[in-house]
């Protein structure tokens, strides 16, 4: 029996009056990818920082690869790697210089550090950029270099904090491939994301978190089953016929039809995606012109709505509120 990768009980971290992590229980086995899915501000980074022993919990228990975060941080740090939102690359150094610097810190001599660095750059498709300063890298290249840097020594457990946030779809697919390769090499991965699709593509199990609490846990299939497998979004050409379309969709799909704020748009949550075609045919039979339709997975917002009964609370942007603006005007 191997020890679990991560075990927490009642883990808490407060910042002032905010409980950023508010009593989280997790059981994560070694091997594979565990996804932590939640909106901005849910507490994902705070949770990871406690597990990586960068932040001391205020309450609860946590063991990482069998070691206690309070009493054995050194043993944990030797076995894990951390990358993502708070990892730092030196912008003025080149790609290879960054990796060599990390290699030297981890005990390689400079020749070994260079060999290891070049091998990793090659594996991540960055050989051509080896001699270029990191500040001239694209977002996707930076993310790959960041992950490469955390692999100088192959870690047993790797924390990837939103590794694809803010990068283009092509780089995202490359990062996904890298993650899958790491898992094949035996590394356990804890990945945070704001996107259901990403968790669905990569993770074996997912914890959904909201305001510091785990609100659902299970395989991607189990979670999606709670929400319905997908959503059919339809926009009719004439808004005046939307009611008629809603009635037809409801009748053919036997599902709740949501009237969007756009007066021509409807969304139907589907239990069975294969029935979408028959619903569109029914609209056509009634001569209702459909401007656009899309069959998609539920968005994270829809998952939240289904799981919690409330919408995700997006943090207010910094600066003035509407009131303050009015006063200033
Ligand atoms: N160092 C900090 N000081 C004060 N509040 C913080 C700090 N770090 C995070 N928070 C707050 O804790 C909550 C969770 O943040 P975070 O863990 O960064 O969420 P996520 O990574 O899911 O976006 C947020 O409300 C955030 O504003
Ligand atoms: Mg974060």
């Amino acid at each position: 029996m191997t020890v679990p990768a991560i075990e927490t009980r009642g883990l808490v971290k407060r910042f002032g009056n905010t409980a950023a992590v508010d009593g989280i229980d997790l059981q994560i086995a070694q091997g594979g990818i565990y996804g932590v899915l939640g909106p901005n501000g849910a507490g994902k980074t705070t949770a990871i920082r406690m597990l990586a022993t960068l932040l001391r919990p205020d309450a609860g228990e946590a063991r990482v690869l069998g070691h206690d975060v309070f009493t054995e941080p050194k043993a944990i740090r030797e076995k894990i790697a951390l990358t993502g939102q708070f990892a730092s690359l030196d912008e003025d150094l080149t790609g290879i210089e960054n990796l060599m610097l990390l290699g030297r810190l981890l005990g390689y001599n400079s020749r070994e550090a260079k060999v290891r660095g070049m091998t990793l750059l090659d594996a991540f498709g960055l050989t051509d950029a080896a001699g270029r300063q990191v500040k001239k890298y694209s977002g996707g290249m930076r993310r790959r270099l960041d992950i490469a840097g955390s692999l100088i020594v192959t870690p047993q457990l790797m924390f990837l904090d939103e590794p694809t946030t803010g990068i283009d779809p092509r780089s995202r697919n490359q990062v996904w491939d890298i993650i899958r390769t790491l898992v094949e090499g035996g590394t356990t991965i804890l990945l945070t994301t704001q996107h259901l699709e990403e968790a669905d593509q990569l993770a074996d199990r997912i914890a959904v978190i909201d305001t510091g609490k785990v609100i659902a846990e299970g395989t991607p299939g189990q979670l999606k089953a709670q929400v319905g497998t997908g959503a059919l979004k339809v926009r009719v050409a004439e808004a005046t016929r939307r009611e008629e379309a809603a009635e037809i969709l409801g009748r053919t799909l036997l599902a709740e039809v949501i009237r969007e704020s756009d007066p021509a748009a409807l969304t139907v949550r589907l239990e069975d995606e294969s029935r979408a075609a028959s619903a569109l045919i029914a609209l056509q039979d009634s001569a209702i012109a459909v401007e656009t339709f899309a069959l998609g997975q539920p968005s994270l917002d829809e998952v939240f709505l289904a799981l919690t009964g409330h919408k995700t609370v997006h943090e207010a942007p910094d600066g003035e509120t509407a009131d303050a603006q009015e006063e200033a005007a």
Side-chain angles (χ1 to χ4, degrees), residues 44-45 85 161-162:
K44 303 180 296 298
T45 299
Q85 290 185 314
D161 195 12
E162 297 194 25

Side-chain angles (χ1 to χ4, degrees), residues 35-109:
V36 173
L37 174 69
N40 201 17
K44 303 180 296 298
T45 299
T46 304
I48 281 195
R49 296 197 69 189
M50 287 192 278
L51 296 170
T53 74
L54 296 175
L55 200 60
R56 201 179 160 80
D58 291 323
E61 295 165 28
R63 298 181 83 79
V64 176
L65 296 165
H67 302 289
D68 189 306
V69 294
F70 291 100
T71 58
E72 301 168 275
K74 193 164 172 292
I76 294 174
R77 282 180 216 158
E78 281 167 7
K79 291 181 177 171
I80 64 165
L82 180 65
T83 171
Q85 290 185 314
F86 44 81
S88 60
L89 293 165
D90 189 322
E91 298 279 315
D92 290 319
L93 297 182
T94 65
I96 186 64
E97 285 167 348
N98 265 290
L99 295 188
M100 285 181 68
L101 185 69
L102 288 165
R104 295 302 302 273
L105 289 172
L106 291 164
Y108 286 102
N109 68 34

